[in-house]
Amino acid sequence: MERTFIKPENENSFMQVFKYYKCNKPKPSLDNVLSLENKIFGKNQIGLYSAPTLIEDLRTELLGLTNVKEWKAYTLLRHPGLILIKNPFTSLGQRYWIRKCLEQYSKKPNKTNIDTEMVLNDWWKECFKSGHCNSKLQNKLRWTTLGYHHNWDTKVYTEDNKSLFPEDLAELCDCISKYLGYQNFRAEAAIVNYYHIGSTLSAHTDHSEVNLEAPLFSFSFGQSAIFLIGGPDKNFEPSAIMLNSGDVAVMSKEARLSYHAVPKIVSALSQPWSNGESDKEICDNMANLKYITDRQQLILDMNRNIDNKEWNLFKNYIQESRINMNVRQVLHEHQKSLLDVKFFKSYFNCFLFILNSISNPSILTKNISFVFQS
Ligand SMILES: O=C(O)CCC(=O)C(=O)O
Ligand SMILES: [Fe+2]
């Protein structure tokens, strides 16, 4: 269940850059690390992403987002299809999502890396069972999967290995994908990654989804990460990007299958989840939510994080850690389940078999005799 993707003997360009940024002695220079927060672009040539429409989305406040008119999105010339949205969240919004990842998404029926070691229905509650924080248990959580559960061994999603995808997260992705001009994105699977100082994620591509045309949405919260993104193979020299709390990285088109990795977690320069602005309560503004049925609960959950006492436990966690929500669409637009593909494939194979048999009847006799023999 370990997330290792490449063997250390493969000294390619990606690996060299990964090692450079991972190293602590000597500390790597950050001069070439693109940072939207500090407007440091290093060697990168960046462009402004112009959203197709800037129609106000009434859902933003309920989802912890600022007004779309304030969002700033960028593209990178070396990485077509990669879109970086500079923190579009309010402070209260960041608190909501951080808390959700820790308190709710880590619960059963979702799967976590801890499952192989022990049965825990509610990891967050278990961490505080004794009245104090069990930091050993707290640091054990590295990932949780939502919706279609990623199978780390087979790398194949299956219908019998899925749970309900969280409605609030589906709504958040719907809102951001609409802003980018995607009309039909459906959030169906997510990996929530929990990093501490010293955690890394090796180079990999995310290719298990049936639909690789749909974009992938990656949300960062808490401490910052040096994120490396390369190209279709590991010989393409990756670019380094500082992902700060609230930043959204969208991997679409060519970038959807690009190699990427996280060689280092670094202390955040600012703490946008802790701004005083978060003390502004959100109210019911009649937004038309697509997925969320219990909107009063959402408002309640959002406003609960104004109370510093309740929020404190989550604040302590995020002070030392980074959380990444990595959301994907698994199926094609008109596909209802993974079984559709299987049925389609077997019908197609059957059709091919009949066609072949007509042009070459010996195939039919051979296969029929084989069926009778077995
Ligand atoms: O933590 C990140 O920014 C990237 C995570 C990732 O690539 C993944 O979960 O597949
Ligand atoms: Fe990934």
Side-chain angles (χ1 to χ4, degrees), residues 165-181:
F165 193 90
E167 292 171 328
D168 51 358
L169 185 51
E171 194 84 51
L172 175 71
C173 294
D174 186 72
C175 183
I176 294 187
S177 62
K178 291 269 160 52
Y179 161 80
L180 296 176

Side-chain angles (χ1 to χ4, degrees), residues 3 201 204-206 216 260 326 328:
R3 299 196 69 182
L201 177 65
H204 67 281
T205 60
D206 295 298
L216 178 155
H260 56 284
N326 214 274
R328 303 106 195 260

Side-chain angles (χ1 to χ4, degrees), residues 153-355:
D153 303 319
T154 64
K155 311 256 189 294
V156 176
Y157 293 105
T158 53
E159 275 311 308
D160 59 4
N161 189 18
K162 73 171 186 185
S163 42
L164 273 184
F165 193 90
E167 292 171 328
D168 51 358
L169 185 51
E171 194 84 51
L172 175 71
C173 294
D174 186 72
C175 183
I176 294 187
S177 62
K178 291 269 160 52
Y179 161 80
L180 296 176
Y182 287 94
Q183 293 309 318
N184 302 309
F185 180 82
R186 248 181 4 231
E188 292 170 325
I191 300 172
V192 182
N193 296 292
Y194 305 83
Y195 298 86
H196 310 294
I197 301 292
S199 308
T200 60
L201 177 65
S202 329
H204 67 281
T205 60
D206 295 298
H207 52 257
S208 303
E209 295 71 30
V210 178
N211 183 345
L212 293 168
E213 286 78 50
L216 178 155
F217 293 88
S218 167
F219 301 89
S220 296
F221 294 110
Q223 302 309 307
S224 303
I226 299 180
F227 176 75
L228 297 183
I229 180 147
D233 61 59
K234 287 179 228 152
N235 293 319
F236 188 109
E237 193 185 324
S239 304
I241 299 166
M242 189 69 81
L243 290 180
N244 297 308
S245 195
D247 287 348
V248 187
V250 185
M251 292 166 76
S252 72
K253 301 188 180 132
E254 294 101 304
R256 176 64 181 78
L257 285 175
S258 291
Y259 273 91
H260 56 284
V262 177
K264 190 174 265 155
I265 302 298
V266 288
S267 293
L269 290 177
S270 64
Q271 306 191 333
W273 61 89
S274 273
N275 293 348
E277 169 248 312
S278 66
D279 293 333
K280 194 169 126 271
E281 218 173 292
I282 64 151
C283 37
D284 194 344
N285 66 2
M286 300 314 287
N288 212 357
L289 295 175
K290 183 173 161 191
Y291 297 98
I292 295 164
T293 44
D294 197 348
R295 154 228 203 86
Q296 286 310 326
Q297 187 60 46
L298 181 110
I299 295 171
L300 212 75
D301 283 352
M302 191 67 79
N303 288 335
R304 262 166 87 191
N305 299 312
I306 291 171
D307 176 1
N308 267 317
K309 249 196 204 146
E310 259 195 58
W311 162 251
N312 253 343
L313 298 180
F314 305 98
K315 182 179 174 176
N316 291 342
Y317 180 97
I318 210 66
Q319 218 78 306
E320 310 273 325
S321 314
R322 168 180 185 253
I323 299 177
N324 170 262
M325 307 193 293
N326 214 274
V327 187
R328 303 106 195 260
Q329 174 163 340
V330 174
L331 306 174
H332 288 294
E333 198 181 312
H334 299 294
Q335 204 181 338
K336 295 240 162 33
S337 84
L338 283 164
L339 298 172
D340 293 358
V341 184
K342 273 204 192 134
F343 281 132
F344 176 75
K345 268 196 189 151
S346 46
Y347 277 130
F348 189 68
N349 284 341
C350 212
F351 174 70
L352 278 185
F353 179 71
I354 293 168
L355 262 189

